[in-house]
Amino acid sequence: MGNLVIIGPRSSGKTTYLCALAYWPQRQAALHHQSIFDVDPIGEDSENLQKQAKNVIMPQESLQGTKVLTFSEMAQYQFQIKVKKKFSNKTELINLVVRDSAGELFDNLASGNINPDHEEIYQDFLRKDVVGCLILLGDWQKEDDEDYSASIKNFLSFLDQYDRNHDLKIALAMSKCERGELWTGRIDPYLDIFGAHLSQTRLVLEKSNFNQKNLEFFAISTFGVLARNDPRPNRRDEPGKKGKWSVLREPQKWKPYNLIAPLYWLSTGKKLGANV
Amino acid sequence: MIELLNILYYYSKINCEEVITLGIIYIGDRATGKTSLALELTNPKYNYVRITNCQYQDLKDKLFRDGEIQPTAALNSLYENSLQVEVQLPAGAKNLSVNWVDTPGEVWRKSWRKDNPDNWQKLLNNIQESEGIILVLPPYREMPSLNSSVDSSLFPTKEQWCQRFQRWVNFFQFECPKAQQITICLNKADLFCNIEKEESELGYHPRHNRKGWFERHSYVKQRYFKVVQTQLDQISSATEGAPVRCFITTIHNRSLLELPWLYLASQL
Ligand SMILES: Nc1nc2c(ncn2[C@@H]2O[C@H](COP(=O)(O)OP(=O)(O)OP(=O)(O)O)[C@@H](O)[C@H]2O)c(=O)[nH]1
Ligand SMILES: Nc1nc2c(ncn2[C@@H]2O[C@H](COP(=O)(O)OP(=O)(O)O)[C@@H](O)[C@H]2O)c(=O)[nH]1
Ligand SMILES: [Mg+2]
């Protein structure tokens, strides 16, 4: 059973991402889409995610921000992912327990003035039975790069402190990549997203004593685009929310992009081809 | 309050009882229809929103005198009631225990605040702690389709209406920057639009792929809130929570009446 944690700034799409994962079976059925993956949400907490997908995301709304909770209060989202192997009848089973965190947790790291409650949560997040951390980022302006790199720098010092430099995996992912400026960068996010827009953030990770084998870069979009041959983003932006909030444009066409790749890599160390 | 909610939520999970406790407050000027809206919600003829602990008739007897709804008394300031609301959402029924607070329109007058600083503070705290705020607005005189049989002098002019709206914007911006959910109901829709037609545009049909919340809001905003579009965006950017959502409501159409509640229940 792999324990994973998700961190990242406010409104970067962490909870929406998990909802999409829990709702994957229904979307697959609705789109008559054959994929090498099956996702099985297990337990009440994961069912809650499914409900939110149905009640909130499908009817064109945004989820509420996640509140700061202690590790033991946090929901435990359990999933079983089945991967059908090409050219054989075998399926690979991946069992995950994922914990979602409030964006405040990541944002407050930047100041270096860390709230003791948050520190306790990070301590739990870095227990030895946690195998990986998904860092989901949402913006790419210069100021954002500065904030992100400051937060990650302090996160890395926690890794030092709890001796997780060598055995924790980090997937650094850019979310909401259906946005025009990012969509073409999705093929090579290391270069065309992180290199082009978040170079300071990338550098902080690369220049640290963190085991580089355990670091990987991803581009994902929970909302995706309208169709394979119609790359218009499946999203509508909320006026007044500075591009940070959006809702699905055509819920019936909802098909996330690259949702599972980071989780698959965090649990197996293997990368997947694009477009699954 | 949020901490408390989390604890409650946590316990409700342990007990496997899906009852969520929420505070929802109605605000708005005098005679915009706040009390009527809440009362009408308890009407046993419902579609997707049902009140399970209040009898329509009892409440009506309590609130009506001589066939007229009584203005909410200002001095005891807040009229609190606990409503058990059962809402039918796409993922099934959701039970909410709503602490419904009605406010008298009078409190929005400057003079009242000056004379009742303690009550004003109490009200303010109540608004700030509510998960959902429902602002009820009247129509304005110049609305193109205002029913000619109504005495339009009862309503503010467009200019007055816009000025008043700006004061609401300031109120949200400076007094409630942490508001999670603000919904605005332009009430008495029966007086300024064809409610059957709007019901068919906006109505809630969970089994059919009709408009989503964002599209409903855009439709209403485009048609009925055109004069304050930028102010609406201003509220959304000045508050922490979800973007503001606009509705048209009336006590004479159940579908339109239920919409804000369906919306709040799915969000909160
Ligand atoms: N354009 C676009 N918007 C998205 C995507 N995923 C999520 N969003 C929007 O981003 C906003 C924030 O999403 P959340 O999932 O609540 O973000 P979060 O990271 O959990 O935020 P906190 O809980 O506050 O830390 C919402 O308006 C979502 O609809 C995406 O793939 N593309
Ligand atoms: N035509 C019409 N009148 C309404 C509606 N809602 C309320 N009213 C009337 O507006 C007046 C003020 O209502 P009341 O609920 O006391 O307003 P409050 O002071 O905001 O609580 C009453 O005469 C109501 O009957 C509505 O949807 N349509
Ligand atoms: Mg969240």
Side-chain angles (χ1 to χ4, degrees), chain B residues 30 35 114 121:
Chain B
R30 292 213 88 139
T35 312
K114 229 177 243 147
Q121 194 53 47

Side-chain angles (χ1 to χ4, degrees), chain B:
Chain B
M1 187 65 192
I2 284 168
E3 297 302 317
L4 181 68
L5 256 176
N6 278 331
I7 294 166
L8 282 172
Y9 177 55
Y10 194 60
Y11 281 116
S12 72
K13 276 207 301 195
I14 291 172
N15 297 334
C16 292
E17 270 178 19
E18 279 260 31
V19 179
I20 302 165
T21 308
L22 295 172
I24 291 190
I25 191 162
Y26 277 94
I27 60 175
D29 290 320
R30 292 213 88 139
T32 47
K34 299 175 294 297
T35 312
S36 313
L37 282 176
L39 168 66
E40 195 53 34
L41 201 68
T42 63
N43 196 318
K45 292 199 198 98
Y46 67 94
N47 300 336
Y48 301 100
V49 179
R50 185 163 77 108
I51 310 296
T52 54
N53 73 325
C54 261
Q55 294 296 320
Y56 186 50
Q57 202 52 50
D58 294 351
L59 208 55
K60 218 169 169 174
D61 292 343
K62 201 152 108 191
L63 296 170
F64 271 77
R65 207 149 299 154
D66 310 324
E68 276 278 320
I69 203 161
Q70 291 293 302
T72 310
L75 277 179
N76 41 20
S77 165
L78 303 173
Y79 178 73
E80 284 196 46
N81 229 325
S82 166
L83 294 180
Q84 304 300 321
V85 190
E86 185 189 283
V87 185
Q88 220 59 49
L89 293 173
K94 190 159 171 181
N95 288 295
L96 308 173
S97 171
V98 174
N99 192 17
W100 153 47
V101 179
D102 191 8
T103 56
E106 218 173 305
V107 302
W108 302 104
R109 295 185 180 162
K110 276 215 178 77
S111 57
W112 191 87
R113 283 186 222 181
K114 229 177 243 147
D115 298 340
N116 302 275
D118 293 349
N119 278 334
W120 170 249
Q121 194 53 47
K122 190 173 149 207
L123 172 69
L124 208 55
N125 293 344
N126 221 310
I127 296 174
Q128 286 162 347
E129 283 166 10
S130 296
E131 280 78 26
I133 302 175
I134 302 181
L135 169 62
V136 184
L137 298 177
Y140 54 82
R141 239 176 261 180
E142 294 88 340
M143 289 185 111
S145 42
L146 195 69
N147 192 325
S148 54
S149 66
V150 289
D151 176 5
S152 65
S153 70
L154 291 173
F155 300 128
T157 65
K158 181 168 154 187
E159 201 189 334
Q160 288 166 334
W161 193 89
C162 288
Q163 279 170 359
R164 180 67 184 105
F165 195 89
Q166 184 59 48
R167 284 200 283 129
W168 285 118
V169 175
N170 297 344
F171 175 75
F172 290 128
Q173 180 165 0
F174 299 113
E175 310 286 358
C176 322
K178 291 194 184 302
Q180 286 306 306
Q181 199 71 71
I182 299 170
T183 55
I184 302 184
C185 298
L186 183 55
N187 193 36
K188 311 196 183 182
D190 54 302
L191 302 181
F192 62 81
C193 71
N194 178 340
I195 46 180
E196 279 73 36
K197 185 180 162 287
E198 295 304 31
E199 175 184 357
S200 71
E201 284 289 340
L202 299 166
Y204 180 77
H205 302 280
R207 304 245 160 269
H208 302 97
N209 304 325
R210 302 290 277 276
K211 283 192 177 63
W213 294 114
F214 182 89
E215 272 167 29
R216 277 195 193 94
H217 166 76
S218 306
Y219 177 90
V220 170
K221 179 169 138 178
Q222 184 67 23
R223 295 199 142 206
Y224 300 103
F225 287 83
K226 227 177 167 140
V227 291
V228 287
Q229 294 224 27
T230 49
Q231 283 92 326
L232 284 172
D233 298 345
Q234 201 184 332
I235 300 177
S236 294
S237 54
T239 52
E240 228 173 61
V244 69
R245 288 289 181 250
C246 296
F247 296 92
I248 48 173
T249 53
T250 166
I251 52 174
H252 301 297
N253 183 291
R254 186 74 197 181
S255 272
L256 296 177
L257 182 77
E258 286 185 357
L259 278 177
W261 284 86
L262 282 159
Y263 170 71
L264 285 172
S266 63
Q267 283 287 293
L268 296 168

Side-chain angles (χ1 to χ4, degrees), chain A residues 8-17 61-66 100-104 175-179 220-224 235 237 244-247:
Chain A
R10 265 258 108 100
S11 302
S12 66
K14 301 177 290 298
T15 314
T16 310
Y17 172 84
E61 274 300 338
S62 292
L63 300 169
Q64 299 256 311
T66 305
D100 183 19
S101 65
E104 268 160 87
S175 72
K176 314 188 188 182
C177 285
E178 83 287 343
R179 289 172 291 186
I220 59 182
S221 168
T222 303
F223 283 1
R235 80 160 199 283
D237 279 331
K244 291 212 167 187
W245 288 57
S246 14
V247 300

Side-chain angles (χ1 to χ4, degrees), chain A residues 180-239:
Chain A
E181 301 89 330
L182 301 174
W183 185 239
T184 51
R186 75 192 184 283
I187 311 292
D188 189 351
Y190 175 79
L191 216 58
D192 296 330
I193 293 178
F194 292 96
H197 305 289
L198 297 174
S199 53
Q200 239 176 294
T201 304
R202 197 182 79 177
L203 200 66
V204 164
L205 277 157
E206 290 183 325
K207 285 270 160 251
S208 72
N209 59 354
F210 182 76
N211 182 354
Q212 299 295 309
K213 279 195 201 120
N214 286 340
L215 175 64
E216 197 54 72
F217 296 83
F218 295 90
I220 59 182
S221 168
T222 303
F223 283 1
V225 293
L226 288 179
R228 200 178 277 268
N229 53 4
D230 183 357
R232 283 178 300 160
N234 191 358
R235 80 160 199 283
R236 309 266 318 254
D237 279 331
E238 290 285 354

